[in-house]
Amino acid sequence: MFEFFYKHLQPIAALTNEEKIILESAFIIRQVPKKVKLLQEGKTARELYFIVKGLIRLFYTKEGEEITGYIFKEGLFASSYESFLRQTPGIQTLETLEECDLLTISYSRLQQLYEEIPKMHIIARKVAEQRFISAQIMLSSFILDSPEERYKKFEQEQGDLLLRVPHHIIASFLGITPVSLSRIRKRLKK
Amino acid sequence: MFEFFYKHLQPIAALTNEEKIILESAFIIRQVPKKVKLLQEGKTARELYFIVKGLIRLFYTKEGEEITGYIFKEGLFASSYESFLRQTPGIQTLETLEECDLLTISYSRLQQLYEEIPKMHIIARKVAEQRFISAQIMLSSFILDSPEERYKKFEQEQGDLLLRVPHHIIASFLGITPVSLSRIRKRLKK
DNA sequence: CAAAAATATTTACAATTGTTAATAATAAGG
DNA sequence: CCTTATTATTAACAATTGTAAATATTTTTG
């Protein structure tokens, strides 16, 4: 369980054995079934999740519709960052798309960790930085690309998700309707 | 010049007089005319700019077209964050839209500042956090809203820019063509 | 102030997307 | 294994957007 965690932290910051022991006491292993809401819109995110196995999606609710904002996969820290970082209620919901193996940590325990393991600051900053850059790339794709181009890029970079995630969820992630996604796929097949 | 700077840092972190003196020696005051490129696509961003007066736009180049990704105004730190944070070449260009009064700092001088003023870490983190949240809000607007709704929100939140910035620049910022923006404005007038 | 450049709007048409509803295909649950 | 629920595709039509080109309008600059 933790080996996978360390493998992903390795390139960011090397960890000593002492630090690993602290981490293993701080993060709680949790198995979560499919379709479980980890965070409800309107609530404050109290936890951060490192995904060892499974998928979590973040979505907004608009006029009764669920509109996907992000799909977290293995090796990522999933959370509603706005809500978690500011400890205020947000408009995002988190839900598992598959059965998940998670490493969970609370906001308050994370603050302790910052003091116990100073290196944690670096890790947190780099993770946030990475997340920011990822948001920036997505944003630029919305500004620069047509829905069809956006789908093509998605296919190249996250094609595996096409097999794991219902297409109507991917459609809303790309900012289009399922109908339009289906048409784009048909168009590209030829 | 620096009063405006301090006024904006105040809510983030209070500064002592000693710290202010260091800041005043670290940041270089610079007047830049309109239409000056502060960063070229393909180059690495070596500087960060705090805007005291004026506007700077960030844009991408696609098939000869300049497509606006962000418009920085007074009180913001302008930069290509990806390129600046990672010190690697990026695809973003920065250009002044008006004559600007800037407080400029280099990447290396900023690293020194982190050591001279530990509080600087907090400021940097909060600024980055703010920028991330802003990107997240923009991103969600692309996923959730139609171009028309996006324009309405822009009008409410950044309406002042409609008078300061050419509309074709705002159009590309909203992910639409100038023609479409003109039609939306016409539609909403009634 | 006049000519040139930049910006904004309009028109006409094609392409794409949204919407709604029906149908087909697939997956899940008792 | 069959029924039900979920997901995916298709069709038909309306609305919106993109594209290209012409025309206004405004701003810049010599």
Side-chain angles (χ1 to χ4, degrees):
Chain A
M1 200 64 146
F2 278 94
E3 308 81 64
F4 182 78
F5 189 40
Y6 299 143
K7 212 181 90 189
H8 272 268
L9 292 186
Q10 189 59 40
I12 296 175
L15 294 166
T16 66
N17 278 336
E18 291 76 35
E19 288 168 339
K20 287 184 181 176
I21 290 168
I22 297 175
L23 281 180
E24 284 172 33
S25 75
F27 280 87
I28 296 165
I29 296 175
R30 208 166 128 200
Q31 270 230 358
V32 182
K34 202 173 172 173
K35 293 202 181 185
V36 169
K37 289 201 172 61
L38 297 169
L39 171 66
Q40 282 268 10
E41 165 191 26
K43 308 252 175 166
T44 300
R46 303 290 183 197
E47 293 180 321
L48 183 70
Y49 312 97
F50 178 82
I51 306 179
V52 175
K53 193 173 164 304
L55 294 174
I56 297 175
R57 79 168 166 139
L58 176 160
F59 66 85
Y60 303 89
T61 307
K62 190 185 183 182
E63 293 156 23
E65 294 242 346
E66 297 179 352
I67 300 178
T68 301
Y70 201 76
I71 300 168
F72 297 94
K73 48 183 170 182
E74 288 87 357
L76 294 176
F77 287 91
S79 184
S80 168
Y81 286 77
E82 283 119 292
S83 176
F84 185 79
L85 287 175
R86 306 160 101 177
Q87 286 295 289
T88 57
I91 58 168
Q92 302 177 329
T93 300
L94 284 180
E95 188 184 76
T96 55
L97 281 173
E98 299 178 346
E99 188 182 65
C100 288
D101 293 341
L102 305 175
L103 297 178
T104 305
I105 191 168
S106 70
Y107 182 81
S108 53
R109 189 69 186 82
L110 179 62
Q111 304 313 308
Q112 280 177 42
L113 260 195
Y114 283 136
E115 294 176 18
E116 293 167 24
I117 308 178
K119 210 176 282 174
M120 208 58 204
H121 277 294
I122 301 175
I123 294 174
R125 207 202 49 213
K126 295 240 175 126
V127 167
E129 199 176 304
Q130 199 48 51
R131 188 91 182 75
F132 169 70
I133 289 170
S134 154
Q136 196 66 38
I137 290 169
M138 281 179 61
L139 186 52
S140 67
S141 179
F142 271 96
I143 296 174
L144 292 168
D145 304 328
S146 66
E148 182 172 320
E149 291 173 301
R150 215 147 56 239
Y151 173 75
K152 280 191 215 158
K153 284 189 181 173
F154 179 84
E155 200 179 18
Q156 283 171 9
E157 292 156 18
Q158 317 238 64
D160 55 315
L161 291 183
L162 286 170
L163 301 172
R164 295 171 72 181
V165 179
H167 288 181
H168 65 272
I169 286 177
I170 289 170
S172 76
F173 179 54
L174 296 173
I176 56 177
T177 60
V179 178
S180 191
L181 175 59
S182 182
R183 282 189 289 226
I184 288 171
R185 283 167 58 81
K186 192 179 183 181
R187 219 154 51 210
L188 295 179
K189 245 187 272 179
K190 297 168 192 172
Chain B
M1 199 65 146
F2 278 94
E3 308 82 64
F4 182 78
F5 189 41
Y6 299 143
K7 211 181 92 190
H8 271 267
L9 293 185
Q10 188 59 40
I12 297 175
L15 293 165
T16 65
N17 278 334
E18 290 75 37
E19 289 168 338
K20 287 184 181 176
I21 290 169
I22 297 175
L23 282 180
E24 286 173 32
S25 75
F27 280 87
I28 297 166
I29 296 176
R30 206 166 130 201
Q31 270 231 359
V32 183
K34 203 172 173 174
K35 294 203 180 182
V36 168
K37 290 202 170 59
L38 296 169
L39 170 67
Q40 281 270 9
E41 167 189 25
K43 307 253 174 164
T44 300
R46 304 290 183 196
E47 293 180 321
L48 182 70
Y49 312 97
F50 178 81
I51 306 180
V52 174
K53 193 173 165 307
L55 294 174
I56 296 175
R57 79 169 167 140
L58 176 160
F59 66 86
Y60 304 89
T61 308
K62 190 183 184 186
E63 294 156 23
E65 293 242 348
E66 296 180 352
I67 300 178
T68 302
Y70 201 75
I71 299 166
F72 297 94
K73 50 183 170 181
E74 287 88 356
L76 294 176
F77 287 91
S79 184
S80 169
Y81 285 77
E82 283 117 293
S83 176
F84 185 78
L85 287 175
R86 306 160 103 174
Q87 286 294 291
T88 57
I91 58 169
Q92 303 176 329
T93 300
L94 284 181
E95 187 184 77
T96 55
L97 282 172
E98 299 177 347
E99 188 183 65
C100 287
D101 294 341
L102 305 175
L103 296 178
T104 305
I105 190 169
S106 71
Y107 182 81
S108 53
R109 189 68 186 81
L110 180 61
Q111 305 311 309
Q112 280 177 41
L113 261 195
Y114 282 137
E115 294 176 18
E116 293 166 24
I117 310 178
K119 211 176 282 173
M120 208 58 204
H121 277 292
I122 301 176
I123 294 174
R125 208 203 48 213
K126 296 241 175 126
V127 167
E129 199 178 303
Q130 198 48 52
R131 189 91 183 75
F132 168 71
I133 289 171
S134 155
Q136 195 66 37
I137 290 170
M138 279 177 62
L139 186 53
S140 68
S141 180
F142 271 97
I143 297 173
L144 292 167
D145 304 327
S146 67
E148 182 171 321
E149 290 173 301
R150 217 148 54 239
Y151 173 75
K152 280 190 214 158
K153 285 190 180 172
F154 179 84
E155 199 179 18
Q156 284 171 8
E157 292 156 18
Q158 317 238 63
D160 55 315
L161 291 183
L162 287 170
L163 301 172
R164 293 172 72 182
V165 180
H167 288 181
H168 65 270
I169 286 177
I170 289 170
S172 76
F173 179 53
L174 295 173
I176 57 177
T177 60
V179 179
S180 192
L181 175 57
S182 181
R183 282 189 289 227
I184 288 171
R185 284 167 58 81
K186 192 177 183 182
R187 219 152 54 209
L188 294 179
K189 245 186 274 180
K190 297 167 190 172

